[in-house]
């Protein structure tokens, strides 16, 4: 499929190719939709086997950002960039500054942040060339580690799920199986422990396990056992694609609520299957939107308390998704997508109102 055809299918506004032979920069910035505001999304650095794969990834990820911002009530559009290269060997100050200049050339239509393969230090190089960057260090007025805010959103989303299923949002005594106790998983376990949940965790990293066992006295299971244990809630906080043909029938839980991206291996197939199995799914990009909320806060001058309060509102977003799913008899992943599209459509109409000469000269008749 040609690039314009791909853009047409996915409803993209703009695709920007950035090349700098001196630093070796090859980057693609994808702006999906700016109806609600500037397109915000991270910059991924990855050794793509083919340039087409980089384009496809940029298009896919930027579209996801539009939906995430829309459903969370942020006035942001969706964008994402990819830098083609090996994050271990191909980084340099010049490369990120060259990239920063391209970001700057978009005049704020696209705001970047860190993502897989890029770090706060890389964003600080980007910041030397543009103001349109978030996710910089606390020392430079940035937001630093987003994980506490992401964990807050995940926790509140989980409580919304509990309320829907069991009539109370209290997680006291509920058995939660947490897969991955890294940055987000650790803070999530902290919230759950404070509330008196029964917690079982797994992780490939023995040190991460030891930390939560020592601090919160959680139980531990083997990596693969996490799908089989008799829990109330499964919280995927490690990697994507964990709900798949091999795992879905093994789940004993009633609720899925975790921070991982792309939890459903096949959104359409597994999202519908979960519904048939009577397992309530909190859509991943909604429940983990605390990370986006955190960086979006930098745009107004970062304040972690405000970011945490905003992330707690993910509870309401999840409530709305459940209500819409019930009313329209659709799975929750579809309800989230439709609600996001509805907000964009409605506000697009509102923002289309002509505001008079102050803002725009009428040049309609040639
Ligand atoms: P992290 O790398 O700090 O933690 C992931 C943890 O999962 C690590 O401790 C790792 O050892 C463990 N792990 C890896 N493979 C595993 C496996 N097979 N089984 C069990 N554990 C395994 O990452 P993070 O920042 O905590 O993010 C967790 C997930 O949430 C990721 O999918 C990430 O994309 C998503 N997410 C994170 C944020 C954020 O603010 N950090 C925001 C949105 C989404």
């Amino acid at each position: 499929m040609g690039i314009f055809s791909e853009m047409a299918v996915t409803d993209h506004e703009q695709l920007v190719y950035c090349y700098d032979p001196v630093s070796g920069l090859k980057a693609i910035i994808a702006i999906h939709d700016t109806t609600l505001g500037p397109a915000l999304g991270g910059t991924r650095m990855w050794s793509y086997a083919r340039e087409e794969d980089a384009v496809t990834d940029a298009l896919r990820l930027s579209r996801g950002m539009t939906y995430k911002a829309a459903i969370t009530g942020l006035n942001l559009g969706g964008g994402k960039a990819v830098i083609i290269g090996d994050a271990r060997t191909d980084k340099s100050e010049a490369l990120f500054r060259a990239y920063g200049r391209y970001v700057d050339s978009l005049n704020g239509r696209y705001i970047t942040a860190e993502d897989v393969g890029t770090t706060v230090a890389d964003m600080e190089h980007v910041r030397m060339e543009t103001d349109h960057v978030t996710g910089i260090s606390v020392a430079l007025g940035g937001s630093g580690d987003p994980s506490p805010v992401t964990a807050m959103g995940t926790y509140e989303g989980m409580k919304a799920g509990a309320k829907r299923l069991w009539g109370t949002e209290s997680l006291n005594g509920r058995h939660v199986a947490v897969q991955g106790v890294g940055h987000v998983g650790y803070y999530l376990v902290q919230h759950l422990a404070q509330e008196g949940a029964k917690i079982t965790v797994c992780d490939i990293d023995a040190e991460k396990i030891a930390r939560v066992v020592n601090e919160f006295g959680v139980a531990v299971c083997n990596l693969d056992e996490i799908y089989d244990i008799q829990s109330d809630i499964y919280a995927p906080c490690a990697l994507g694609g964990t709900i798949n043909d091999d795992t879905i029938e093994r789940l004993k839980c009633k609720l899925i609520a975790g921070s991982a991206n792309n939890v459903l291996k096949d959104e359409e197939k597994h999202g519908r299957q979960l519904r048939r199995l009577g397992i309530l799914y909190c859509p991943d990009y909604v429940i983990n939107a605390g990370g986006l909320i955190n960086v979006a806060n930098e745009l107004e001058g970062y304040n972690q308390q405000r970011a945490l309060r905003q992330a707690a509102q993910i509870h309401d977003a999840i409530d709305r998704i459940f209500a819409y799913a019930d009313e329209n008899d659709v799975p929750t992943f579809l309800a989230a997508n439709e609600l996001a599209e509805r907000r964009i459509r409605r506000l697009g109409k509102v923002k289309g109102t002509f505001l008079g000469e102050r803002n725009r000269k009428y040049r309609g008749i040639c």
Side-chain angles (χ1 to χ4, degrees), residues 149-165:
V149 178
T150 304
M152 170 62 88
T154 305
Y155 172 63
E156 285 292 337
M158 190 183 282
K159 286 170 85 63
K163 176 93 200 255
R164 167 76 33 166
L165 284 173

Side-chain angles (χ1 to χ4, degrees), residues 328-349:
N328 296 281
D329 202 17
V330 293
T332 52
F333 79 89
L334 211 61
N337 293 350
E338 289 182 7
L339 279 171
E341 285 162 7
R342 189 166 80 179
R343 177 162 183 253
I344 294 168
R345 229 178 13 254
R346 286 184 174 174
L347 290 181
K349 174 80 175 65

Side-chain angles (χ1 to χ4, degrees), residues 22-41:
V22 176
S23 64
L25 174 76
K26 285 183 191 165
I28 300 166
I29 300 171
I31 297 180
H32 176 249
D33 188 297
T34 54
T35 307
L36 298 178
L40 195 153

Side-chain angles (χ1 to χ4, degrees), residues 146-147 150 180 182-184 203-204 208 223 237-239 259-261 288:
S147 315
T150 304
H183 286 94
V184 181
D203 199 295
I204 50 169
K208 303 263 171 56
L223 292 179
C237 296
L239 46 149
S259 72
N261 281 308
N288 74 15

Side-chain angles (χ1 to χ4, degrees), residues 47-259:
S47 304
Y48 292 97
R50 303 173 316 156
E51 280 174 25
E52 299 93 285
D53 298 339
V55 174
T56 304
D57 218 19
L59 293 175
R60 179 179 66 87
L61 294 166
S62 55
R63 188 163 184 265
M65 293 308 294
T66 298
Y67 281 72
K68 187 186 283 246
I71 194 81
T72 321
L74 292 167
N75 290 318
L76 290 170
K80 202 90 177 187
V82 296
I83 295 179
I84 302 173
D86 188 328
R88 289 163 306 181
T89 53
D90 296 341
K91 286 186 180 180
S92 66
E93 177 185 354
L95 181 132
F96 281 102
R97 291 186 69 165
Y99 172 63
R101 293 177 75 82
Y102 280 110
V103 171
D104 202 55
S105 74
L106 293 168
N107 287 320
R109 261 177 66 68
Y110 170 64
I111 302 168
T112 197
E114 61 177 303
D115 195 71
V116 175
T118 57
T119 63
V120 171
D122 300 330
M123 289 309 121
E124 286 172 5
H125 283 138
V126 171
R127 185 173 172 268
M128 290 173 188
E129 303 295 339
T130 184
D131 289 336
H132 307 301
V133 54
T134 57
I136 50 177
S137 65
V138 176
L140 290 175
S143 55
D145 179 11
S147 315
V149 178
T150 304
M152 170 62 88
T154 305
Y155 172 63
E156 285 292 337
M158 190 183 282
K159 286 170 85 63
K163 176 93 200 255
R164 167 76 33 166
L165 284 173
W166 301 298
T168 167
E169 63 181 43
S170 169
L171 297 170
N172 189 293
R174 293 274 164 226
H175 186 183
V176 189
V178 183
Q179 181 180 41
V181 282
H183 286 94
V184 181
Y186 170 83
Y187 290 109
L188 179 63
V189 167
Q190 188 177 53
H191 286 297
L192 294 172
Q194 274 163 5
E195 203 177 331
K198 179 181 170 203
I199 305 162
T200 303
V201 308
C202 73
D203 199 295
I204 50 169
D205 184 332
E207 275 182 33
K208 303 263 171 56
I209 290 276
R211 184 162 73 139
V212 288
V213 168
N214 291 337
E215 288 187 32
F216 309 115
V218 301
V220 180
C221 70
N222 292 327
L223 292 179
D224 196 48
E225 211 187 327
I226 196 97
Y227 305 109
D228 301 313
I229 58 176
Q230 196 74 48
S231 66
D232 296 307
I233 303 166
Y234 163 56
C237 296
L239 46 149
T242 57
I243 303 294
N244 54 47
D245 288 346
D246 297 329
T247 60
I248 197 162
E249 299 275 2
R250 290 162 56 188
L251 296 171
K252 314 279 186 304
C253 63
K254 286 282 167 227
L255 176 65
I256 298 176
S259 72

